[in-house]
Coordinates of all heavy atoms in Angstrom, one line a residue:
K39 N 23.9 -15.9 -1.8 CA 25.0 -16.5 -1.1 C 24.6 -17.7 -0.3 O 25.3 -18.8 -0.3 CB 25.6 -15.5 -0.1 CG 26.4 -14.4 -0.7 CD 27.0 -13.4 0.3 CE 27.9 -12.4 -0.4 NZ 28.5 -11.5 0.6
Q40 N 23.4 -17.7 0.4 CA 22.9 -18.9 1.1 C 22.6 -20.0 0.1 O 22.8 -21.1 0.3 CB 21.7 -18.5 1.9 CG 22.0 -17.7 3.2 CD 20.7 -17.5 4.0 OE1 19.6 -17.4 3.5 NE2 20.9 -17.6 5.3
F41 N 22.0 -19.6 -1.0 CA 21.6 -20.5 -2.0 C 22.8 -21.3 -2.6 O 22.7 -22.5 -2.9 CB 20.8 -19.8 -3.1 CG 20.3 -20.7 -4.3 CD1 19.2 -21.5 -4.1 CD2 21.0 -20.7 -5.5 CE1 18.8 -22.3 -5.1 CE2 20.5 -21.5 -6.5 CZ 19.4 -22.3 -6.4
N42 N 23.8 -20.6 -2.9 CA 25.0 -21.2 -3.5 C 25.7 -22.1 -2.6 O 26.5 -23.0 -3.0 CB 26.0 -20.1 -4.0 CG 25.5 -19.3 -5.2 OD1 24.6 -19.8 -6.0 ND2 25.9 -18.1 -5.4
R43 N 25.5 -22.0 -1.3 CA 26.1 -22.9 -0.3 C 25.4 -24.2 -0.1 O 25.8 -25.0 0.7 CB 26.3 -22.1 1.0 CG 27.4 -21.0 1.0 CD 27.6 -20.4 2.4 NE 27.9 -21.4 3.3 CZ 27.3 -21.6 4.5 NH1 26.2 -20.9 4.8 NH2 27.7 -22.5 5.3
I44 N 24.2 -24.3 -0.7 CA 23.4 -25.5 -0.5 C 24.1 -26.6 -1.3 O 24.4 -26.5 -2.5 CB 22.0 -25.3 -1.0 CG1 21.3 -24.2 -0.2 CG2 21.2 -26.6 -0.9 CD1 19.9 -23.9 -0.7
P45 N 24.3 -27.8 -0.6 CA 25.0 -28.9 -1.4 C 24.1 -29.4 -2.5 O 22.9 -29.2 -2.5 CB 25.2 -29.9 -0.3 CG 25.0 -29.2 1.0 CD 24.1 -28.1 0.8
A46 N 24.8 -30.1 -3.4 CA 24.1 -30.7 -4.5 C 23.5 -32.1 -4.1 O 24.1 -32.7 -3.2 CB 25.0 -30.9 -5.7
L47 N 22.4 -32.4 -4.7 CA 21.8 -33.7 -4.4 C 22.6 -34.8 -4.9 O 23.0 -34.8 -6.1 CB 20.3 -33.7 -5.0 CG 19.5 -35.0 -4.8 CD1 19.1 -35.1 -3.3 CD2 18.3 -35.0 -5.7
P48 N 23.0 -35.8 -4.1 CA 23.9 -36.9 -4.6 C 23.1 -37.7 -5.7 O 21.9 -37.8 -5.7 CB 24.1 -37.8 -3.4 CG 23.9 -36.8 -2.2 CD 22.8 -35.9 -2.7
D49 N 23.9 -38.3 -6.6 CA 23.3 -39.1 -7.7 C 22.6 -40.3 -7.1 O 23.1 -40.9 -6.2 CB 24.4 -39.5 -8.6 CG 25.1 -38.3 -9.3 OD1 24.4 -37.3 -9.5 OD2 26.3 -38.4 -9.7
G50 N 21.5 -40.6 -7.7 CA 20.7 -41.8 -7.3 C 19.8 -41.6 -6.1 O 19.1 -42.5 -5.7
V51 N 19.8 -40.4 -5.5 CA 19.0 -40.1 -4.4 C 17.7 -39.4 -4.8 O 17.7 -38.5 -5.7 CB 19.7 -39.2 -3.3 CG1 18.8 -38.8 -2.2 CG2 21.0 -39.8 -2.9
S52 N 16.6 -39.7 -4.3 CA 15.3 -39.2 -4.7 C 15.2 -37.7 -4.3 O 15.8 -37.2 -3.3 CB 14.1 -39.9 -4.0 OG 12.9 -39.3 -4.3
V53 N 14.5 -37.0 -5.2 CA 14.3 -35.5 -4.9 C 13.5 -35.3 -3.7 O 13.6 -34.1 -3.1 CB 13.7 -34.8 -6.1 CG1 14.6 -34.9 -7.4 CG2 12.3 -35.5 -6.5
S54 N 12.8 -36.2 -3.2 CA 12.0 -36.0 -2.0 C 12.9 -35.9 -0.7 O 12.5 -35.4 0.3 CB 11.1 -37.2 -1.7 OG 11.8 -38.4 -1.6
E55 N 14.2 -36.3 -0.9 CA 15.2 -36.2 0.2 C 15.8 -34.8 0.3 O 16.6 -34.5 1.1 CB 16.3 -37.2 0.0 CG 15.8 -38.7 0.0 CD 15.1 -39.1 1.3 OE1 15.6 -38.6 2.4 OE2 14.2 -39.9 1.3
M56 N 15.4 -33.9 -0.6 CA 16.0 -32.5 -0.6 C 15.5 -31.7 0.6 O 16.1 -30.8 1.0 CB 15.6 -31.8 -1.9 CG 16.3 -32.3 -3.1 SD 16.2 -31.2 -4.5 CE 14.4 -31.1 -4.7
V57 N 14.3 -32.1 1.2 CA 13.8 -31.4 2.3 C 13.6 -32.4 3.5 O 13.4 -33.6 3.3 CB 12.4 -30.7 1.9 CG1 12.6 -29.7 0.9 CG2 11.4 -31.8 1.5
N58 N 13.6 -31.8 4.6 CA 13.4 -32.5 5.9 C 12.4 -31.8 6.8 O 12.7 -30.6 7.1 CB 14.7 -32.8 6.6 CG 14.5 -33.5 7.9 OD1 13.7 -34.5 8.0 ND2 15.2 -33.0 8.9
E59 N 11.3 -32.4 7.2 CA 10.4 -31.7 8.1 C 10.6 -32.2 9.5 O 10.6 -33.4 9.8 CB 9.0 -32.0 7.7 CG 7.9 -31.2 8.5 CD 6.5 -31.4 7.9 OE1 6.4 -32.0 6.9 OE2 5.6 -30.9 8.6
K60 N 10.8 -31.2 10.4 CA 11.1 -31.6 11.8 C 10.3 -30.7 12.7 O 9.8 -29.6 12.3 CB 12.5 -31.6 12.1 CG 13.2 -30.2 12.1 CD 14.6 -30.3 12.6 CE 15.3 -28.9 12.7 NZ 16.7 -29.0 13.1
V61 N 10.2 -31.0 14.0 CA 9.4 -30.3 15.0 C 10.4 -29.6 15.9 O 11.3 -30.3 16.5 CB 8.4 -31.1 15.7 CG1 7.7 -30.3 16.8 CG2 7.4 -31.8 14.8
T62 N 10.3 -28.3 16.1 CA 11.2 -27.6 17.0 C 10.3 -27.0 18.1 O 9.1 -26.8 17.9 CB 12.0 -26.5 16.3 OG1 11.1 -25.6 15.7 CG2 12.9 -27.2 15.3
R63 N 10.9 -26.6 19.2 CA 10.1 -26.0 20.3 C 10.2 -24.5 20.2 O 11.3 -23.9 20.2 CB 10.7 -26.4 21.6 CG 9.9 -25.9 22.8 CD 10.4 -26.5 24.1 NE 10.1 -28.0 24.1 CZ 9.0 -28.6 24.3 NH1 7.9 -27.8 24.6 NH2 8.9 -29.9 24.3
A64 N 9.1 -23.8 20.0 CA 9.0 -22.4 19.9 C 9.0 -21.8 21.3 O 8.8 -22.5 22.3 CB 7.8 -22.0 19.1
D65 N 9.2 -20.5 21.3 CA 9.2 -19.8 22.6 C 7.8 -19.7 23.3 O 7.7 -20.0 24.5 CB 9.8 -18.4 22.4 CG 11.2 -18.4 22.0 OD1 11.9 -19.4 22.3 OD2 11.7 -17.5 21.4
N66 N 6.8 -19.3 22.5 CA 5.5 -19.0 23.1 C 4.4 -20.0 22.6 O 3.4 -20.2 23.3 CB 5.1 -17.6 22.8 CG 6.1 -16.6 23.4 OD1 6.6 -16.8 24.5 ND2 6.4 -15.5 22.6
D67 N 4.5 -20.5 21.4 CA 3.4 -21.2 20.8 C 3.6 -22.7 20.9 O 3.0 -23.5 20.1 CB 3.2 -20.8 19.4 CG 2.9 -19.3 19.2 OD1 2.3 -18.8 20.2 OD2 3.3 -18.7 18.2
G68 N 4.5 -23.2 21.7 CA 4.7 -24.6 21.8 C 5.5 -25.1 20.7 O 6.5 -24.5 20.2
N69 N 5.2 -26.3 20.1 CA 6.0 -26.9 19.1 C 5.7 -26.3 17.7 O 4.5 -25.9 17.4 CB 5.7 -28.4 19.0 CG 6.2 -29.1 20.2 OD1 7.1 -28.7 20.9 ND2 5.5 -30.3 20.5
E70 N 6.7 -26.2 16.9 CA 6.5 -25.6 15.6 C 7.2 -26.4 14.5 O 8.3 -26.9 14.7 CB 7.2 -24.2 15.6 CG 7.0 -23.4 14.3 CD 7.8 -22.1 14.4 OE1 8.9 -22.1 14.8 OE2 7.2 -21.1 14.0
D71 N 6.5 -26.6 13.4 CA 7.1 -27.4 12.3 C 8.0 -26.5 11.5 O 7.7 -25.4 11.2 CB 6.0 -27.9 11.4 CG 5.1 -28.9 12.1 OD1 5.6 -29.6 13.0 OD2 3.9 -29.1 11.7
V72 N 9.2 -27.1 11.1 CA 10.2 -26.4 10.3 C 10.5 -27.3 9.1 O 10.8 -28.5 9.3 CB 11.4 -26.1 11.1 CG1 12.5 -25.5 10.2 CG2 11.1 -25.1 12.2
I73 N 10.5 -26.8 7.9 CA 10.9 -27.5 6.7 C 12.3 -27.1 6.3 O 12.5 -25.9 6.0 CB 9.9 -27.3 5.6 CG1 8.5 -27.7 6.0 CG2 10.3 -28.1 4.4 CD1 7.4 -27.4 5.0
E74 N 13.3 -28.0 6.4 CA 14.6 -27.7 6.1 C 15.0 -28.1 4.7 O 14.7 -29.2 4.3 CB 15.6 -28.4 7.1 CG 15.5 -27.9 8.5 CD 16.5 -28.6 9.4 OE1 16.8 -29.8 9.1 OE2 17.0 -27.9 10.3
L75 N 15.6 -27.1 4.0 CA 16.1 -27.4 2.6 C 17.5 -27.9 2.7 O 18.4 -27.1 3.1 CB 16.0 -26.2 1.7 CG 16.4 -26.4 0.3 CD1 15.6 -27.4 -0.4 CD2 16.3 -25.0 -0.4
L76 N 17.8 -29.2 2.5 CA 19.1 -29.8 2.7 C 20.0 -29.8 1.5 O 21.2 -29.5 1.7 CB 18.9 -31.2 3.2 CG 18.0 -31.5 4.4 CD1 17.8 -32.9 4.7 CD2 18.5 -30.7 5.6
C77 N 19.5 -30.0 0.3 CA 20.3 -30.0 -0.9 C 19.4 -29.8 -2.1 O 18.2 -29.7 -1.9 CB 21.0 -31.4 -1.0 SG 19.9 -32.8 -1.0
L78 N 20.0 -29.6 -3.2 CA 19.2 -29.2 -4.4 C 19.8 -30.1 -5.6 O 21.0 -30.2 -5.8 CB 19.4 -27.7 -4.8 CG 18.6 -26.8 -3.9 CD1 19.0 -25.3 -4.2 CD2 17.1 -26.9 -4.0
S79 N 18.8 -30.5 -6.4 CA 19.2 -31.2 -7.7 C 19.6 -30.1 -8.7 O 19.3 -28.9 -8.6 CB 18.1 -32.0 -8.2 OG 17.0 -31.2 -8.6
K80 N 20.3 -30.5 -9.8 CA 20.7 -29.5 -10.8 C 19.5 -28.9 -11.5 O 19.5 -27.7 -11.7 CB 21.6 -30.2 -11.9 CG 22.9 -30.7 -11.3 CD 23.7 -31.4 -12.4 CE 25.0 -31.9 -11.9 NZ 25.8 -32.6 -12.9
T81 N 18.4 -29.7 -11.7 CA 17.2 -29.1 -12.4 C 16.6 -28.1 -11.4 O 16.2 -27.0 -11.9 CB 16.3 -30.2 -12.7 OG1 16.9 -31.2 -13.5 CG2 15.1 -29.7 -13.4
T82 N 16.5 -28.4 -10.2 CA 15.8 -27.5 -9.2 C 16.6 -26.2 -9.1 O 16.1 -25.1 -9.0 CB 15.7 -28.2 -7.8 OG1 14.9 -29.4 -8.0 CG2 14.9 -27.3 -6.9
R83 N 18.0 -26.3 -9.0 CA 18.8 -25.2 -8.9 C 18.7 -24.2 -10.1 O 18.5 -23.0 -9.9 CB 20.3 -25.6 -8.7 CG 21.2 -24.5 -8.3 CD 22.6 -25.0 -8.1 NE 22.7 -26.1 -7.2 CZ 23.0 -25.9 -5.9 NH1 23.2 -24.6 -5.4 NH2 23.1 -26.9 -5.0
L84 N 18.7 -24.8 -11.3 CA 18.5 -24.0 -12.5 C 17.2 -23.4 -12.5 O 17.0 -22.2 -12.9 CB 18.8 -24.9 -13.7 CG 18.6 -24.2 -15.1 CD1 19.6 -23.1 -15.2 CD2 18.8 -25.2 -16.2
S85 N 16.1 -24.1 -12.1 CA 14.7 -23.6 -12.2 C 14.6 -22.4 -11.2 O 13.9 -21.4 -11.5 CB 13.7 -24.7 -11.8 OG 13.8 -25.8 -12.7
I86 N 15.2 -22.5 -10.0 CA 15.2 -21.4 -9.1 C 15.8 -20.1 -9.6 O 15.3 -19.0 -9.5 CB 15.8 -21.8 -7.7 CG1 14.9 -22.9 -7.1 CG2 15.9 -20.6 -6.8 CD1 15.5 -23.4 -5.8
W87 N 17.0 -20.3 -10.3 CA 17.6 -19.2 -10.9 C 16.8 -18.6 -12.0 O 16.6 -17.3 -12.1 CB 19.0 -19.6 -11.5 CG 20.1 -19.5 -10.6 CD1 20.8 -20.4 -9.9 CD2 20.8 -18.2 -10.2 NE1 21.8 -19.9 -9.1 CE2 21.8 -18.5 -9.3 CE3 20.6 -16.9 -10.6 CZ2 22.6 -17.6 -8.8 CZ3 21.4 -15.9 -10.1 CH2 22.4 -16.3 -9.2
L88 N 16.2 -19.4 -12.9 CA 15.4 -18.9 -14.0 C 14.0 -18.3 -13.6 O 13.6 -17.3 -14.1 CB 15.1 -20.0 -15.0 CG 16.4 -20.5 -15.7 CD1 16.0 -21.6 -16.7 CD2 17.1 -19.4 -16.5
V89 N 13.4 -18.8 -12.5 CA 12.1 -18.4 -12.1 C 12.1 -17.4 -11.0 O 11.2 -16.6 -11.0 CB 11.2 -19.7 -11.7 CG1 9.9 -19.3 -11.2 CG2 11.1 -20.7 -12.9
I90 N 13.1 -17.4 -10.2 CA 13.1 -16.5 -9.0 C 14.2 -15.4 -9.1 O 13.9 -14.2 -9.1 CB 13.2 -17.3 -7.7 CG1 12.1 -18.3 -7.6 CG2 13.3 -16.4 -6.5 CD1 12.1 -19.2 -6.3
F91 N 15.4 -15.8 -9.1 CA 16.5 -14.9 -8.9 C 16.6 -13.9 -10.1 O 16.7 -12.7 -10.0 CB 17.8 -15.6 -8.7 CG 17.9 -16.2 -7.4 CD1 18.6 -17.5 -7.2 CD2 17.4 -15.6 -6.3 CE1 18.7 -18.1 -6.0 CE2 17.5 -16.2 -5.0 CZ 18.1 -17.4 -4.9
L92 N 16.7 -14.5 -11.3 CA 16.9 -13.6 -12.5 C 15.7 -12.6 -12.7 O 15.9 -11.4 -12.9 CB 17.1 -14.4 -13.8 CG 18.4 -15.2 -13.8 CD1 18.5 -15.9 -15.1 CD2 19.6 -14.2 -13.7
P93 N 14.4 -13.1 -12.6 CA 13.3 -12.1 -12.6 C 13.3 -11.1 -11.5 O 13.1 -9.9 -11.8 CB 12.0 -13.0 -12.5 CG 12.5 -14.3 -13.0 CD 13.9 -14.5 -12.6
K94 N 13.7 -11.5 -10.3 CA 13.8 -10.5 -9.2 C 14.9 -9.4 -9.5 O 14.6 -8.2 -9.3 CB 14.1 -11.2 -7.9 CG 12.9 -11.9 -7.3 CD 13.3 -12.6 -6.0 CE 13.6 -11.5 -4.9 NZ 12.4 -10.8 -4.4

Side-chain angles (χ1 to χ4, degrees):
K39 285 183 177 180
Q40 286 187 324
F41 178 78
N42 289 336
R43 292 183 55 236
I44 300 176
L47 180 70
D49 296 334
V51 179
S52 173
V53 293
S54 61
E55 301 297 328
M56 292 192 302
V57 295
N58 175 45
E59 185 172 357
K60 68 177 185 178
V61 178
T62 59
R63 184 172 298 279
D65 294 335
N66 299 321
D67 301 329
N69 295 333
E70 181 183 47
D71 294 335
V72 174
I73 302 176
E74 292 182 328
L75 181 61
L76 304 177
C77 54
L78 288 172
S79 64
K80 294 180 180 180
T81 303
T82 304
R83 192 181 299 270
L84 178 61
S85 301
I86 291 176
W87 267 104
L88 294 178
V89 177
I90 298 178
F91 289 143
L92 292 181
K94 282 179 71 70

